[in-house]
């Protein structure tokens, strides 16, 4: 999907899309780096959008790894199916992740990569999705997501950061990726068992 198409999707539903343009190559490399993708047996991507991070995940994972993407927007799903015919994709809500994994017969996930627009989600939805993420992750698993710099000024952005620190055993943030529109940084969150 092109940047103008994503912009139109954003205008139609800013509470669901949350981005004006796709993530930059630098952000895609940063979010997928140093999280164990190369060794993961099972990987989930939440909110793949246009697939720019999806492409980087596919480049890094082993051929035998299980990779499932979950995208709520139907139009984006159609584009993802066209651009990544090999992708295991569910047109569904990240808030249903535990049920989706049960339906897909996936018992645990090593890495979850998220492109979801956390700062625009209400607190209850943030909590519901994060509880599903924690349920899905194996011990020592990694959850990674990005946040736009300006989103940290919003109450939902601050609540999200606090919630991550409460739920995960270790939360790291990367330096700001300035070569992205808008600038963003990455959260890397680990469950107990991380070496």
């Amino acid at each position: 999907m092109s940047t103008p198409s994503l912009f139109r999707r954003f205008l139609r539903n800013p509470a669901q899309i949350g981005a004006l343009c796709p993530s930059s190559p630098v952000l895609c490399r940063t979010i997928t780096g140093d999280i164990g993708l190369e060794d993961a047996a099972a990987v989930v991507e939440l909110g793949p959008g246009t697939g720019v991070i999806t492409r980087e995940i596919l480049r890094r994972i082993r051929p035998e790894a299980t990779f499932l993407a979950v995208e709520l927007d139907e139009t984006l799903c159609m584009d993802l199916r066209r651009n990544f015919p090999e992708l295991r994709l569910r047109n569904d809500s990240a808030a249903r992740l535990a049920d989706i994994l049960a339906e897909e017969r996936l018992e645990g996930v090593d890495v979850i990569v998220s492109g979801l627009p956390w700062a625009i989600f209400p607190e209850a939805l943030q909590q519901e999705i994060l509880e599903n993420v924690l349920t899905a992750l194996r011990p020592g698993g990694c959850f990674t997501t990005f946040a736009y710099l300006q989103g940290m000024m919003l109450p939902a952005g601050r609540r999200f950061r606090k919630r991550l620190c409460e739920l995960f055993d270790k939360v790291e943030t990367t330096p700001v990726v300035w070569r992205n529109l808008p600038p963003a940084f990455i959260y890397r969150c680990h469950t107990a068992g991380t070496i």
Side-chain angles (χ1 to χ4, degrees):
M1 177 176 282
S2 65
T3 298
S5 299
L6 184 63
F7 182 67
R8 283 195 294 275
R9 301 295 304 152
F10 171 81
L11 291 177
R12 285 191 197 119
N13 198 347
Q16 182 176 306
I17 302 298
L20 294 169
C21 58
S23 300
S24 72
V26 176
L27 185 67
C28 293
R29 287 192 300 271
T30 305
I31 196 170
T32 57
D34 299 320
I35 57 171
L37 280 175
E38 295 79 3
D39 299 318
V43 177
V44 167
E45 183 182 12
L46 302 176
T50 62
V52 292
I53 295 174
T54 307
R55 190 176 314 283
E56 191 65 24
I57 293 171
L58 287 167
R59 191 181 73 74
R60 289 179 181 263
I61 61 174
R62 296 178 296 169
E64 66 273 19
T66 299
F67 177 32
L68 173 68
V70 180
E71 173 57 57
L72 184 60
D73 186 88
E74 194 171 338
T75 301
L76 292 174
C77 275
M78 288 190 294
D79 288 340
L80 286 163
R81 286 191 177 105
R82 185 170 52 253
N83 295 326
F84 303 96
E86 76 284 10
L87 183 63
R88 194 169 172 180
L89 176 67
R90 290 289 298 261
N91 181 197
D92 211 325
S93 169
R96 289 193 63 253
L97 181 60
D99 292 333
I100 292 167
L101 293 180
E103 291 161 10
E104 294 284 332
R105 298 188 175 154
L106 286 173
E107 294 184 5
V109 177
D110 300 298
V111 178
I112 298 177
V113 180
S114 169
L116 298 174
W118 298 101
I120 63 174
F121 287 167
E123 188 173 1
L125 182 57
Q126 283 186 0
Q127 182 67 24
E128 187 176 11
I129 295 172
L130 287 173
E131 286 173 359
N132 273 265
V133 165
L134 278 171
T135 300
L137 281 174
R138 291 180 176 135
C142 180
F143 167 66
T144 186
T145 189
F146 65 88
Y148 295 126
L149 198 53
Q150 83 277 9
M152 286 309 297
M153 295 181 278
L154 300 173
R158 292 194 299 271
R159 271 197 312 270
F160 180 68
R161 183 184 192 113
K162 182 179 178 204
R163 180 95 2 111
L164 290 178
C165 292
E166 291 169 352
L167 294 174
F168 289 90
D169 297 281
K170 182 180 177 185
V171 177
E172 303 169 315
T173 56
T174 67
V176 174
V177 177
W178 294 104
R179 291 171 62 189
N180 192 71
L181 187 62
F185 62 93
I186 313 298
Y187 289 112
R188 292 182 185 137
C189 310
H190 302 273
T191 59
T194 302
I195 296 172

